[in-house]
Amino acid sequence: MKSTFIKTLGVACIVLSMAGCASNISSSSYNDKQVGQASRTYAGVIVSSRVVDVEGNSSIGGLVGSAAGGVAGSAIGGGFRANALGAIGGALLGGMLGSSLESSASKQQAIEYVIQTESNGMITVAQGMDQPLSNGQKVLVIEGKPTRVVADTRTQK
C-alpha cells in the first residue's frame, strides 16, 4: 500500500511540474526584461506562411521523473541492496517517463512566416498562432529575442 502511494505521488509530481513547461510563443507576450527595450522594426509583406511544430525541451521532466522514480524505487524493501537497486532502476525509468511526458506536454504549433522586406530582403520568423496573419498582408517585423511579426496598421498615404 505504501509503495503504491509513493509511486502515485511520484507520477502526480511529474505531471503537475510539467503543467507549465510549454514556453509562451505568443507574439503579444513580453517578459519583464524585454519591457522598455528599443527594437529595430522593418516593414514588409508576408509572401508565404505555414504551420510548424514547436517542441520544447528543458530537461526538467527528466530530472523530476528521475527524482520521483528514485524515491519510489527505493521503497521496494528487502534490505539495503534491494532498496539501492530499486532507487537506481526507479530513477532511470522515472527519467525516461518524465522526459517523454515533458516532450508531449510542451509540444505546440506555430506559424512560420516568410516576409519580403521593403528593402527587398527576405526573412523568416516563426511565432505562436494566437494572432494569425495572411499571405499578402503588410506587416512590421520587430527584431529582438524573440522577433515578432505584427500587422502594419499605419495609414497609407
Side-chain angles (χ1 to χ4, degrees), residues 30-120:
Y30 285 79
N31 68 42
D32 60 342
K33 293 179 179 87
Q34 296 168 317
V35 174
Q37 297 295 314
S39 299
R40 188 174 304 259
T41 302
Y42 304 93
V45 175
I46 296 176
V47 295
S48 175
S49 62
R50 67 183 181 130
V51 175
V52 295
D53 291 327
V54 178
E55 296 181 19
N57 186 8
S58 66
S59 68
I60 292 173
L63 292 173
V64 172
S66 293
V71 169
S74 69
I76 285 179
F80 175 76
R81 182 173 288 170
N83 288 351
L85 290 174
I88 292 169
L92 290 172
L93 290 173
M96 291 187 312
L97 176 64
S99 291
S100 176
L101 285 172
E102 177 185 27
S103 177
S104 62
S106 62
K107 191 170 188 172
Q108 302 177 67
Q109 287 194 316
I111 301 176
E112 174 190 81
Y113 295 107
V114 178
I115 300 156
Q116 177 83 47
T117 64
E118 285 184 347
S119 61
N120 288 325

Side-chain angles (χ1 to χ4, degrees), residues 27 127 131 133 137-142 148-152:
S27 63
Q127 68 184 25
Q131 297 178 6
L133 303 164
Q137 184 173 356
K138 292 185 177 194
V139 294
L140 298 172
V141 178
I142 305 167
R148 295 173 172 82
V149 181
V150 297
D152 185 350

